[in-house]
Amino acid sequence: MITLDLTLPDTRYPIHIGQQLLDRVDLLLPHIKHNKVAVVSNTTVAPLYLTPLRAALEAQGISVIPIILPDGEDFKTWETLNLIFDALLQQRCERSTTLIALGGGVIGDMVGFAAACYQRGAPFIQIPTTLLAQVDSSVGGKTAINHPLGKNMIGAFYQPKAVIADMDLLDSLPERELSAGLAEIIKYGLLGNAEFLSWLEQNLPALRSKDKNVLSHAVQTSCAMKADIVSQDEKEHGVRALLNLGHTFGHAIEAGLGFGTWLHGEAVGAGMLLAAEASRLLGNLGEADVQRVKRILELAGLPTMSPDLGVDTWLELMSHDKKVSGGEIRFVLLRSLGQAYVAPLAASVLQPLLTGRFIEKT
Ligand code: NAD
Ligand code: GLY
């Protein structure tokens, strides 16, 4: 196991990465008070991993309140959030009761938001069970639910007490979900680490075959980059926006097709190719760079063609993005492969981009 630290002005927490960590109660104990925790999971993950976690906690005399939610992005809602509050109140949980998020990014984001709100702030721990959650959503304290008018629109910045990323939990992860996680890993290479991008080109086949050492290196590199960025800019006033590479386009795809039709990571992958193409249209990247991004996405098993939402719908959906400032949509673009920046795009770029060669004609 290796442990990274995320340091912020008023808090600091460990990110443990390794194997055989699910029953390592010693990593949880420092964050548990009064021998009681609530473990929040979903109907897919709980049958796989709740029993060993619960047994390990109970062996240390800690009582476990299981809260099992329905599975899916469609359930990242107020109604589902209320199920967590209902259970916490029925079980007389106190402000000091630690919530443990056992699941992917949907569970992690919802449990984090529930913890931020419950009695004005309860402690919580992230045990991410998807690759995407291990490299991105469990780290950095962005918590949220969706609103029918936009993704992750209701939420809070609220940091976990610890993150425990166990590579063994990825054994059961379906191939399509693994590829979705690879999109966020590729994102780190594209936005700020050209050397890591080259490493990924060599190692994507091993990542897709779930080689644990290679996975662990990718998770460590991604979490280290994220921890560094978040420690500079917790509330996204500056550099943290770069972590949204591909997301302005990606969120429009998710909302435009209906949440859950494309996976978040798939939409981000196709969105990163649109960001690369926009950067080529601006003269930053060459054609070879764009083809390289496309090939890396293909190696990861990700889609490269975005759906044809129509220019007006694209613009309407992207106008809800959280980076919109003074009504202006701002995009994460590439100066080179490995260097990103944020800027608006002129209509003379958006029009050809959103009707162009990376849009699937219907
Ligand atoms: P997810 O949580 O929906 O998990 C994907 C699917 O895999 C689900 O069906 C889940 O039940 C299943 N699953 C989870 N772990 C499994 C395992 N080990 N074995 C088998 N099946 C398993 O999706 P995700 O891709 O993990 O997360 C996407 C969400 O994360 C989105 O809502 C997105 O907005 C959010 N997100 C948040 C941040 C952040 O910074 N907070 C960053 C990126 C993404
Ligand atoms: N996933 C983007 C961020 O955490 O800022």
Side-chain angles (χ1 to χ4, degrees):
M1 180 181 88
I2 76 121
T3 301
L4 307 171
D5 267 325
L6 199 158
T7 306
L8 293 161
D10 56 0
T11 186
R12 174 190 178 130
Y13 59 90
I15 303 162
H16 304 293
I17 301 164
Q19 288 176 245
Q20 298 183 346
L21 302 185
L22 191 60
D23 57 5
R24 285 284 305 271
V25 179
D26 57 309
L27 303 176
L28 303 171
L29 282 177
H31 314 292
I32 296 175
K33 281 204 185 119
H34 310 308
N35 294 328
K36 180 170 169 176
V37 293
V39 178
V40 188
S41 192
N42 71 23
T43 49
T44 304
V45 177
L48 296 168
Y49 301 116
L50 179 60
T51 301
L53 175 62
R54 185 175 188 165
L57 284 160
E58 287 177 348
Q60 298 295 321
I62 294 162
S63 68
V64 174
I65 298 159
I67 304 174
I68 313 302
L69 304 178
D71 181 13
E73 185 75 37
D74 285 359
F75 293 102
K76 201 177 170 186
T77 59
W78 270 120
E79 291 71 25
T80 315
L81 192 71
N82 250 329
L83 298 177
I84 304 179
F85 297 136
D86 291 347
L88 294 174
L89 288 164
Q90 280 157 11
Q91 299 293 329
R92 297 182 178 278
C93 292
E94 299 172 356
R95 183 189 278 167
S96 60
T97 305
T98 298
L99 278 63
I100 298 180
L102 177 68
V106 170
I107 286 291
D109 280 14
M110 274 197 298
V111 176
F113 189 37
C117 300
Y118 188 68
Q119 299 197 11
R120 303 197 181 94
F124 87 110
I125 295 171
Q126 291 271 18
I127 304 186
T129 64
T130 63
L131 183 60
L132 184 140
Q134 293 187 346
V135 298
D136 194 354
S137 61
S138 64
V139 173
K142 276 191 182 174
T143 75
I145 54 169
N146 297 331
H147 185 280
L149 292 180
K151 196 170 154 57
N152 294 334
M153 281 294 153
I154 316 295
F157 287 97
Y158 191 69
Q159 302 293 339
K161 295 292 177 197
V163 179
I164 300 170
D166 183 344
M167 299 305 108
D168 293 339
L169 307 192
L170 303 178
D171 285 346
S172 53
L173 194 68
E175 201 177 324
R176 188 177 166 202
E177 298 291 349
L178 190 85
S179 289
L182 292 173
E184 300 282 9
I185 294 177
I186 293 165
K187 175 186 82 176
Y188 292 107
L190 285 173
L191 75 88
N193 190 338
E195 202 181 312
F196 184 48
L197 197 65
S198 302
W199 181 90
L200 283 171
E201 272 170 319
Q202 301 304 315
N203 287 284
L204 276 165
L207 287 165
R208 289 185 75 186
S209 66
K210 297 187 182 169
D211 177 316
K212 297 268 169 76
N213 291 327
V214 181
L215 274 171
S216 184
H217 177 76
V219 174
Q220 282 171 38
T221 308
S222 303
C223 288
M225 279 184 73
K226 181 150 189 185
D228 179 42
I229 290 172
V230 172
S231 67
Q232 297 172 52
D233 178 24
E234 180 184 7
K235 304 245 166 104
E236 199 168 308
H237 299 301
V239 67
R240 186 166 181 168
L242 301 183
L243 293 172
N244 290 316
L245 176 62
H247 284 59
T248 306
F249 300 112
H251 285 163
I253 294 173
E254 288 185 85
L257 297 182
F259 292 126
T261 308
W262 275 36
L263 301 180
H264 175 73
E266 293 172 337
V268 167
M272 289 193 294
L273 187 58
L274 289 178
E277 175 72 342
S279 306
R280 185 189 69 81
L281 291 168
L282 291 170
N284 299 340
L285 298 187
E287 174 63 15
D289 293 321
V290 176
Q291 290 305 329
R292 191 173 163 210
V293 174
K294 180 167 179 280
R295 190 176 132 67
I296 291 171
L297 295 170
E298 285 166 352
L299 276 174
L302 289 161
T304 54
M305 296 295 284
S306 291
D308 189 3
L309 302 176
V311 174
D312 291 345
T313 304
W314 273 108
L315 294 178
E316 160 59 20
L317 291 168
M318 293 192 300
S319 73
H320 294 290
D321 190 83
K322 289 189 283 307
K323 285 186 300 306
V324 167
S325 177
E328 185 177 62
I329 308 173
R330 291 150 72 244
F331 296 84
V332 185
L333 300 166
L334 296 169
R335 241 182 261 294
S336 62
L337 299 190
Q339 212 192 349
Y341 67 105
V342 178
L345 280 174
S348 59
V349 173
L350 280 169
Q351 181 69 34
L353 180 72
L354 298 174
T355 54
R357 60 181 171 155
F358 296 121
I359 302 293
E360 186 95 67
K361 303 294 179 300
T362 41

Short mmCIF file of all heavy atoms in Angstrom, two decimals, residues 103-142:
data_model
loop_
_atom_site.label_atom_id
_atom_site.label_comp_id
_atom_site.label_asym_id
_atom_site.label_seq_id
_atom_site.Cartn_x
_atom_site.Cartn_y
_atom_site.Cartn_z
N GLY A 103 -18.86 2.40 -3.08
CA GLY A 103 -19.44 2.34 -4.41
C GLY A 103 -18.66 3.20 -5.39
O GLY A 103 -17.57 3.69 -5.08
N GLY A 104 -19.27 3.42 -6.54
CA GLY A 104 -18.65 4.25 -7.57
C GLY A 104 -18.91 5.73 -7.31
O GLY A 104 -19.28 6.13 -6.20
N GLY A 105 -18.73 6.52 -8.35
CA GLY A 105 -18.85 7.97 -8.21
C GLY A 105 -20.25 8.43 -7.82
O GLY A 105 -20.40 9.45 -7.13
N VAL A 106 -21.28 7.70 -8.24
CA VAL A 106 -22.64 8.11 -7.90
C VAL A 106 -22.83 8.01 -6.38
O VAL A 106 -23.29 8.96 -5.73
CB VAL A 106 -23.69 7.27 -8.66
CG1 VAL A 106 -25.08 7.53 -8.13
CG2 VAL A 106 -23.61 7.57 -10.16
N ILE A 107 -22.45 6.87 -5.82
CA ILE A 107 -22.56 6.69 -4.36
C ILE A 107 -21.66 7.69 -3.64
O ILE A 107 -22.06 8.37 -2.69
CB ILE A 107 -22.20 5.23 -3.98
CG1 ILE A 107 -23.34 4.29 -4.38
CG2 ILE A 107 -21.88 5.09 -2.50
CD1 ILE A 107 -24.62 4.45 -3.57
N GLY A 108 -20.42 7.82 -4.10
CA GLY A 108 -19.47 8.72 -3.43
C GLY A 108 -19.96 10.16 -3.41
O GLY A 108 -19.90 10.83 -2.38
N ASP A 109 -20.47 10.63 -4.56
CA ASP A 109 -20.94 12.02 -4.63
C ASP A 109 -22.16 12.23 -3.73
O ASP A 109 -22.31 13.27 -3.08
CB ASP A 109 -21.35 12.37 -6.07
CG ASP A 109 -20.16 12.72 -6.96
OD1 ASP A 109 -19.01 12.45 -6.57
OD2 ASP A 109 -20.39 13.26 -8.06
N MET A 110 -23.07 11.23 -3.71
CA MET A 110 -24.29 11.39 -2.91
C MET A 110 -24.00 11.29 -1.41
O MET A 110 -24.55 12.05 -0.62
CB MET A 110 -25.33 10.33 -3.29
CG MET A 110 -26.17 10.76 -4.47
SD MET A 110 -27.67 9.80 -4.62
CE MET A 110 -27.04 8.19 -4.87
N VAL A 111 -23.15 10.34 -1.05
CA VAL A 111 -22.84 10.18 0.39
C VAL A 111 -22.08 11.41 0.89
O VAL A 111 -22.32 11.90 2.00
CB VAL A 111 -22.03 8.88 0.63
CG1 VAL A 111 -21.62 8.76 2.09
CG2 VAL A 111 -22.86 7.67 0.21
N GLY A 112 -21.18 11.93 0.06
CA GLY A 112 -20.46 13.14 0.45
C GLY A 112 -21.41 14.29 0.69
O GLY A 112 -21.28 15.04 1.67
N PHE A 113 -22.40 14.44 -0.19
CA PHE A 113 -23.36 15.54 -0.03
C PHE A 113 -24.25 15.29 1.19
O PHE A 113 -24.53 16.22 1.96
CB PHE A 113 -24.21 15.69 -1.31
CG PHE A 113 -25.07 16.92 -1.32
CD1 PHE A 113 -24.63 18.13 -0.79
CD2 PHE A 113 -26.33 16.88 -1.90
CE1 PHE A 113 -25.44 19.26 -0.81
CE2 PHE A 113 -27.15 18.00 -1.92
CZ PHE A 113 -26.70 19.20 -1.38
N ALA A 114 -24.65 14.03 1.39
CA ALA A 114 -25.45 13.71 2.58
C ALA A 114 -24.65 14.03 3.85
O ALA A 114 -25.18 14.62 4.80
CB ALA A 114 -25.85 12.23 2.57
N ALA A 115 -23.36 13.69 3.84
CA ALA A 115 -22.51 13.95 5.02
C ALA A 115 -22.38 15.46 5.25
O ALA A 115 -22.40 15.93 6.39
CB ALA A 115 -21.14 13.31 4.85
N ALA A 116 -22.26 16.21 4.15
CA ALA A 116 -22.13 17.68 4.29
C ALA A 116 -23.38 18.28 4.93
O ALA A 116 -23.29 19.26 5.67
CB ALA A 116 -21.90 18.30 2.91
N CYS A 117 -24.54 17.68 4.65
CA CYS A 117 -25.82 18.25 5.11
C CYS A 117 -26.28 17.69 6.45
O CYS A 117 -26.97 18.38 7.20
CB CYS A 117 -26.92 17.98 4.10
SG CYS A 117 -26.62 18.67 2.47
N TYR A 118 -25.97 16.42 6.74
CA TYR A 118 -26.56 15.77 7.91
C TYR A 118 -26.09 16.46 9.19
O TYR A 118 -24.89 16.50 9.49
CB TYR A 118 -26.20 14.27 7.95
CG TYR A 118 -26.95 13.55 9.05
CD1 TYR A 118 -28.33 13.38 8.97
CD2 TYR A 118 -26.30 13.08 10.18
CE1 TYR A 118 -29.04 12.75 9.99
CE2 TYR A 118 -27.00 12.44 11.19
CZ TYR A 118 -28.38 12.29 11.09
OH TYR A 118 -29.09 11.68 12.10
N GLN A 119 -27.01 16.99 9.91
CA GLN A 119 -26.72 17.73 11.14
C GLN A 119 -25.60 18.76 10.92
O GLN A 119 -24.75 18.96 11.76
CB GLN A 119 -26.41 16.77 12.28
CG GLN A 119 -27.60 15.84 12.57
CD GLN A 119 -27.53 15.17 13.91
OE1 GLN A 119 -26.71 15.51 14.76
NE2 GLN A 119 -28.42 14.21 14.14
N ARG A 120 -25.61 19.34 9.73
CA ARG A 120 -24.67 20.39 9.28
C ARG A 120 -23.23 19.90 9.15
O ARG A 120 -22.30 20.70 9.15
CB ARG A 120 -24.72 21.61 10.21
CG ARG A 120 -26.09 22.21 10.33
CD ARG A 120 -26.04 23.61 10.90
NE ARG A 120 -27.39 24.14 11.00
CZ ARG A 120 -28.12 24.07 12.11
NH1 ARG A 120 -27.64 23.49 13.19
NH2 ARG A 120 -29.34 24.57 12.14
N GLY A 121 -23.06 18.58 9.03
CA GLY A 121 -21.71 18.10 8.73
C GLY A 121 -21.26 16.92 9.56
O GLY A 121 -20.85 17.08 10.70
N ALA A 122 -21.34 15.71 8.95
CA ALA A 122 -20.86 14.49 9.61
C ALA A 122 -19.59 14.04 8.86
O ALA A 122 -19.41 14.35 7.69
CB ALA A 122 -21.93 13.41 9.53
N PRO A 123 -18.72 13.28 9.55
CA PRO A 123 -17.52 12.78 8.85
C PRO A 123 -17.88 11.71 7.82
O PRO A 123 -18.87 10.99 8.00
CB PRO A 123 -16.68 12.17 9.98
CG PRO A 123 -17.56 12.08 11.17
CD PRO A 123 -18.78 12.89 10.96
N PHE A 124 -17.09 11.63 6.75
CA PHE A 124 -17.31 10.51 5.81
C PHE A 124 -16.00 10.03 5.21
O PHE A 124 -15.01 10.76 5.18
CB PHE A 124 -18.36 10.86 4.75
CG PHE A 124 -17.85 11.57 3.50
CD1 PHE A 124 -17.81 10.91 2.28
CD2 PHE A 124 -17.43 12.88 3.55
CE1 PHE A 124 -17.37 11.54 1.12
CE2 PHE A 124 -16.98 13.53 2.41
CZ PHE A 124 -16.95 12.87 1.19
N ILE A 125 -16.05 8.76 4.79
CA ILE A 125 -14.87 8.09 4.21
C ILE A 125 -15.28 7.55 2.84
O ILE A 125 -16.40 7.06 2.67
CB ILE A 125 -14.42 6.91 5.12
CG1 ILE A 125 -13.92 7.46 6.46
CG2 ILE A 125 -13.34 6.07 4.44
CD1 ILE A 125 -13.66 6.38 7.51
N GLN A 126 -14.37 7.66 1.89
CA GLN A 126 -14.63 7.14 0.55
C GLN A 126 -13.93 5.79 0.36
O GLN A 126 -12.70 5.70 0.53
CB GLN A 126 -14.06 8.11 -0.50
CG GLN A 126 -14.75 9.45 -0.61
CD GLN A 126 -15.91 9.42 -1.61
OE1 GLN A 126 -16.42 8.37 -2.00
NE2 GLN A 126 -16.34 10.60 -2.03
N ILE A 127 -14.71 4.76 0.03
CA ILE A 127 -14.12 3.50 -0.46
C ILE A 127 -14.61 3.32 -1.90
O ILE A 127 -15.67 2.73 -2.14
CB ILE A 127 -14.49 2.28 0.42
CG1 ILE A 127 -14.10 2.53 1.88
CG2 ILE A 127 -13.81 1.02 -0.11
CD1 ILE A 127 -14.31 1.34 2.81
N PRO A 128 -13.88 3.89 -2.86
CA PRO A 128 -14.33 3.87 -4.26
C PRO A 128 -14.18 2.48 -4.87
O PRO A 128 -13.14 1.83 -4.69
CB PRO A 128 -13.41 4.88 -4.94
CG PRO A 128 -12.17 4.93 -4.08
CD PRO A 128 -12.62 4.65 -2.68
N THR A 129 -15.20 2.04 -5.60
CA THR A 129 -15.18 0.68 -6.15
C THR A 129 -15.14 0.65 -7.68
O THR A 129 -15.14 -0.42 -8.27
CB THR A 129 -16.41 -0.12 -5.67
OG1 THR A 129 -17.59 0.51 -6.20
CG2 THR A 129 -16.50 -0.20 -4.16
N THR A 130 -15.13 1.83 -8.32
CA THR A 130 -14.90 1.86 -9.77
C THR A 130 -13.56 2.55 -10.01
O THR A 130 -13.08 3.33 -9.17
CB THR A 130 -15.99 2.65 -10.54
OG1 THR A 130 -15.95 4.02 -10.10
CG2 THR A 130 -17.36 2.08 -10.34
N LEU A 131 -12.99 2.30 -11.20
CA LEU A 131 -11.72 2.95 -11.54
C LEU A 131 -11.93 4.46 -11.59
O LEU A 131 -11.10 5.23 -11.10
CB LEU A 131 -11.21 2.42 -12.89
CG LEU A 131 -9.85 2.94 -13.35
CD1 LEU A 131 -8.75 2.60 -12.35
CD2 LEU A 131 -9.51 2.39 -14.74
N LEU A 132 -13.07 4.87 -12.16
CA LEU A 132 -13.34 6.31 -12.25
C LEU A 132 -13.36 6.96 -10.87
O LEU A 132 -12.78 8.02 -10.64
CB LEU A 132 -14.65 6.55 -12.98
CG LEU A 132 -15.00 8.02 -13.22
CD1 LEU A 132 -15.60 8.24 -14.60
CD2 LEU A 132 -15.90 8.59 -12.15
N ALA A 133 -14.01 6.30 -9.93
CA ALA A 133 -14.09 6.87 -8.59
C ALA A 133 -12.73 6.85 -7.90
O ALA A 133 -12.39 7.77 -7.16
CB ALA A 133 -15.12 6.11 -7.77
N GLN A 134 -11.92 5.84 -8.18
CA GLN A 134 -10.60 5.76 -7.53
C GLN A 134 -9.66 6.85 -8.03
O GLN A 134 -8.82 7.34 -7.27
CB GLN A 134 -9.97 4.39 -7.77
CG GLN A 134 -10.74 3.27 -7.06
CD GLN A 134 -10.06 1.92 -7.15
OE1 GLN A 134 -9.14 1.72 -7.94
NE2 GLN A 134 -10.52 0.97 -6.35
N VAL A 135 -9.79 7.23 -9.31
CA VAL A 135 -8.82 8.20 -9.85
C VAL A 135 -9.36 9.63 -9.84
O VAL A 135 -8.62 10.56 -10.13
CB VAL A 135 -8.39 7.86 -11.31
CG1 VAL A 135 -7.68 6.52 -11.34
CG2 VAL A 135 -9.56 7.90 -12.28
N ASP A 136 -10.65 9.78 -9.55
CA ASP A 136 -11.19 11.14 -9.69
C ASP A 136 -12.20 11.49 -8.61
O ASP A 136 -11.92 12.27 -7.69
CB ASP A 136 -11.80 11.30 -11.09
CG ASP A 136 -12.09 12.75 -11.44
OD1 ASP A 136 -11.92 13.62 -10.57
OD2 ASP A 136 -12.48 13.03 -12.58
N SER A 137 -13.40 10.85 -8.65
CA SER A 137 -14.50 11.41 -7.86
C SER A 137 -14.32 11.28 -6.35
O SER A 137 -14.87 12.08 -5.60
CB SER A 137 -15.83 10.80 -8.30
OG SER A 137 -15.84 9.41 -8.09
N SER A 138 -13.55 10.28 -5.90
CA SER A 138 -13.42 10.10 -4.44
C SER A 138 -12.46 11.10 -3.82
O SER A 138 -12.42 11.26 -2.60
CB SER A 138 -12.95 8.67 -4.13
OG SER A 138 -11.65 8.47 -4.65
N VAL A 139 -11.67 11.76 -4.66
CA VAL A 139 -10.62 12.67 -4.18
C VAL A 139 -11.03 14.11 -4.48
O VAL A 139 -11.48 14.41 -5.59
CB VAL A 139 -9.29 12.35 -4.90
CG1 VAL A 139 -8.22 13.38 -4.55
CG2 VAL A 139 -8.83 10.95 -4.57
N GLY A 140 -10.92 14.99 -3.50
CA GLY A 140 -11.08 16.42 -3.81
C GLY A 140 -12.32 17.07 -3.28
O GLY A 140 -12.45 18.29 -3.34
N GLY A 141 -13.29 16.27 -2.78
CA GLY A 141 -14.39 16.86 -2.03
C GLY A 141 -15.51 17.49 -2.83
O GLY A 141 -16.31 18.24 -2.28
N LYS A 142 -15.60 17.20 -4.15
CA LYS A 142 -16.79 17.67 -4.87
C LYS A 142 -17.90 16.67 -4.62
O LYS A 142 -17.74 15.47 -4.92
CB LYS A 142 -16.52 17.77 -6.37
CG LYS A 142 -15.87 19.05 -6.79
CD LYS A 142 -15.89 19.18 -8.30
CE LYS A 142 -15.20 20.44 -8.75
NZ LYS A 142 -15.09 20.51 -10.22
#
